[in-house]
Amino acid sequence: MHDIKQAFLIAGQNFCGWKRSLRIWMTFALEFVLCLMLSDQILSQSIRYETPLQIFEPFIWTYGDATSVMLSSLLLILLFADMPFVNQATPYWLIRTKRSVWLAGQIIYVVLTTIIYNVILVVLLSIIASPFSFIGNVWSKTAAMLGYGGGENITVPVSIKTMEISTPYSCALAVFGLMLCYSLLVAVLMLFFNIAFGNMTGVLSAFALNLYGILLNPGVFRKIFHFSGNLEYRAHVLCGWLSPLNHATFPMHNFGYDYLPKLWSSIGIFLLLIMILIFLSGRKLRTYNFSFIQMNE
């Protein structure tokens, strides 16, 4: 119990630094700007045709696309660029507790911060849509129009399949869970690389993971290799299983009639990868050389 208390105290100390960190506030300001940009098309359609939205639809449709998930996760690089959060209080904690407890505190902070980041994302999109939305658990006419082709310049990834097999509240919960798992994977990957290979390697690893996810896309394979028919379907399924970014995208899942991963499979894979990276981070922290800058009073 004493170690658990210390781990939460270390995490709390990291949160105390938010009020003095311009980088933290800049991240949340950029998150607001990102929400405005990504939700613009669906809100414009709602206003244009005077048809209301279900309040969670901007979140569901915006993050039903791999590119939007990637853009959101990139802001985590700014949020967690200085991992493993070595500061003036770190020597104090390392003397009075174990390295494993100190690392547990950093992981608790990363998990809570990632949850806060994603909750704010949902809240912001809901607030932006609130003047044009309703709270009932049914899909809107706007979503139906977009799903059946709302216009030539509309790129909102509204999925008819999604509307057929789920309701807005259950779908929003699933999308949130997938995004949260992917965000946590990006965060702990950065933590591991920063501990194992030094600062800035975590940033590069996060970029590499997102680039891998974008390149391993069925559309990219179709354009490069001109797949069609059965080969196109096999490439689609293969990309769905091999790309973490596709695992974080709700429409890229099996809902009973194909071989794409099921929701529980994707979440299980994410949790397994996260636990492996946390374990490896703990092993590497044993030989991690802390460096502290002398501060002149």
Side-chain angles (χ1 to χ4, degrees), residues 40 45 48 73 77 93 111 155 194 212 219 236 241 279 282:
D40 178 65
Q45 290 297 302
R48 178 181 178 183
S73 70
I77 297 175
W93 286 112
V111 171
T155 59
N194 276 357
Y212 167 75
H236 184 78
W241 278 100
F279 173 76

Side-chain angles (χ1 to χ4, degrees), residues 127-192:
I127 291 174
I128 292 170
S130 59
F132 322 103
S133 64
F134 60 90
I135 61 174
N137 194 22
V138 292
W139 299 108
S140 69
K141 293 181 179 179
T142 304
M145 285 192 301
L146 292 173
Y148 285 106
E152 295 180 359
N153 299 320
I154 301 301
T155 59
V156 179
V158 176
S159 170
I160 296 298
K161 180 176 72 172
T162 298
M163 290 190 282
E164 289 175 348
I165 55 90
S166 65
T167 59
Y169 284 97
S170 63
C171 186
L173 184 61
V175 172
F176 178 82
L178 293 171
M179 279 197 61
L180 178 60
C181 287
Y182 183 73
S183 300
L184 285 172
L185 178 64
V186 172
V188 296
L189 181 71
M190 291 176 63
L191 177 63
F192 168 69

Side-chain angles (χ1 to χ4, degrees), residues 28-135:
F28 289 114
L30 290 173
E31 184 180 19
F32 175 69
V33 173
L34 182 66
C35 289
L36 287 175
M37 292 173 57
L38 295 179
S39 62
D40 178 65
Q41 280 194 10
I42 190 168
L43 291 177
S44 297
Q45 290 297 302
S46 176
I47 296 170
R48 178 181 178 183
Y49 293 105
E50 297 182 351
T51 52
L53 291 162
Q54 206 283 336
I55 195 164
F56 288 121
E57 281 182 352
F59 171 70
I60 293 168
W61 304 131
T62 296
Y63 292 101
D65 177 64
T67 303
S68 298
V69 176
M70 181 202 68
L71 290 173
S72 177
S73 70
L74 287 178
L75 288 181
L76 292 174
I77 297 175
L78 182 60
L79 200 60
F80 296 134
D82 58 340
M83 285 193 291
F85 312 115
V86 177
N87 52 42
Q88 293 180 355
T90 303
Y92 169 86
W93 286 112
L94 291 176
I95 291 172
R96 288 161 176 79
T97 191
K98 295 174 287 188
R99 287 191 175 202
S100 59
V101 175
W102 181 83
L103 179 62
Q106 309 308 317
I107 292 170
I108 291 170
Y109 169 75
V110 167
V111 171
L112 293 179
T113 302
T114 305
I115 293 173
I116 291 170
Y117 174 84
N118 283 280
V119 167
I120 290 176
L121 199 67
V122 179
V123 171
L124 285 175
L125 284 168
S126 299
I127 291 174
I128 292 170
S130 59
F132 322 103
S133 64
F134 60 90
I135 61 174

Side-chain angles (χ1 to χ4, degrees), residues 225-240:
F225 300 105
H226 305 288
F227 285 155
S228 61
N230 191 42
L231 283 177
E232 181 181 4
Y233 174 72
R234 290 184 179 182
H236 184 78
V237 172
L238 190 65
C239 291

